Amino acid sequence: MIVEDISDIINDDVFLRLTDFCETNSPILKIEGLSASGSIKIKAAKYLLEDALINTNLSNSKHFIESSSGNMGVALSIIAASKSLRFTCVADANTSEQNIKTMRALGTEVIIITQKDEKGGYLGNRLSYIKSRLNEDPSLIWLNQYANPGNVKSHYSLTAKSIHQSIGDVDYLVIGAGTTGTLMGCAEYFRVHSPNTKVIAVDSVGSVTFGTQAGPRFLPGLGASVLPPFFNETHVDQLIQVPEIQAVKMCREIAQKYGYLAGASTGTVLAGLKSVSHRFKESDKVVAISPDLGAGYVSTVFNNEWCEEKYGFIAERENEEYAKAI
C-alpha cells in the first residue's frame, strides 16, 4: 500500500478477541494504535486540520495551537510536519516524557502547564493559556478539539462505521470518555444504524465528565477537569468510573495474558467492561475500543517504582499473585 500523505495511514479494521476475558464472554477489542500516530487521535487530527485549512486563515498564518495530554498532540505534530505548519501544543505535567520528546522531534513547540486548575486537573489552565496566546496573536488558529464538531464526525464516519461493518450489530459497545469525541461519534452512529446496541461509557475516578467530584489523576488520556461540550448522557446507556489503580492493574494483566501492551485508557475501558461482564451472554457481541498502545507508558503504568509512588502498591507482588492465579 502506497499513501500520498502520512495522515492516510489509518488501520481502522484491526480487532483482537480477548478469549476468556470474562466468565461468559470473549469480548472483541478494537486496536487503534496501528496508525501513523500510534493512537486513535490521528482521525480527529486529520479532520480538524483539513477543516481549518479550508475554513480558517491557517493556510496563510501557517501556525495553529491545541491543548493535548499527549496523543492528539503527537497526531497533530505528525500532520503539521508533513504540511509545513507550525504547531504549538499545550500539554501538562501528566503528559508522558516520550510523547513530549516525540512532538519536539517533529518540530512542535511544546508548552508544559504545571499548575493545577481549581478542579485538581490541568485542562482548565491549558485552555486559559491558549486564550492568552490568542489574545496576543490574533493570527494564531485554535483547532479546539473539545468543541469542534469534526472530532465527533471523524469517529461517526470512521471508527463507528468500521465496527459496524466488521462486527455487525453489536450488543454492547464500551468506550472511554476523554474529550468524548469518540464516545459521542460512536453513540450517535449506533443509535441510527444499530439502535439496540447498549453503549457503555467509562471514565476515570476524579473526572468531572459524569457530574461527579473532581479528584487527583496521574494518567493522561481519559478524564477531564472541565466538562466536555460534546457529552450528551442521553446517548449513553450506562456510565462507569474506574479508579486509576484498577486501570493500571488491568493494563498489566492484559500484557501478561494476551501479549498486548495497552495504554492506560485501554486499561480503564477494560476494567469498566469487566465490572459489568456478569450481564453478558456467551452469544453477545461485546466490543471495546483500545485508543492507543502501551509503549508510551513503560515509564509509568508498567514501571514498578512509579506505581508504588503514585498508588502505593508493589507491582512485583501483583505480578506474583497474577502468576499464581493462572
Side-chain angles (χ1 to χ4, degrees), residues 130-289:
I130 287 178
K131 291 172 184 176
S132 69
R133 285 287 296 265
L134 294 173
N135 287 333
E136 294 170 4
D137 182 3
S139 69
L140 185 61
I141 302 299
W142 179 24
L143 301 183
N144 194 1
Q145 64 162 319
Y146 308 100
N148 191 315
N151 190 342
V152 174
K153 290 178 182 178
S154 68
H155 297 294
Y156 186 101
S157 61
L158 293 173
T159 309
K161 186 177 181 179
S162 169
I163 294 171
H164 197 219
Q165 289 182 337
S166 300
I167 310 300
D169 289 352
V170 174
D171 294 291
Y172 295 92
L173 181 59
V174 188
I175 309 173
T179 65
T180 68
T182 304
L183 174 62
M184 289 296 101
C186 290
E188 290 177 11
Y189 178 97
F190 276 88
R191 285 290 170 266
V192 174
H193 299 279
S194 178
N196 292 326
T197 297
K198 293 179 173 58
V199 177
I200 300 174
V202 185
D203 201 7
S204 301
V205 169
S207 170
V208 303
T209 300
F210 297 164
T212 53
Q213 186 174 357
R217 292 175 290 111
F218 304 106
L219 296 171
L222 299 187
S225 58
V226 177
L227 186 64
F230 296 134
F231 183 59
N232 184 345
E233 189 175 340
T234 63
H235 289 323
V236 178
D237 295 283
Q238 184 171 359
L239 309 175
I240 299 174
Q241 284 190 297
V242 173
E244 284 191 338
I245 189 172
Q246 290 184 18
V248 169
K249 290 178 179 180
M250 180 58 71
C251 285
R252 288 169 170 265
E253 177 183 334
I254 293 300
Q256 294 171 19
K257 186 174 181 179
Y258 300 99
Y260 177 56
L261 202 68
S265 298
T266 303
T268 307
V269 167
L270 289 178
L273 184 155
K274 200 156 199 174
S275 72
V276 295
S277 62
H278 58 277
R279 73 176 64 171
F280 302 154
K281 301 190 297 289
E282 185 178 358
S283 60
D284 284 339
K285 293 180 181 178
V286 182
V287 177
I289 295 177

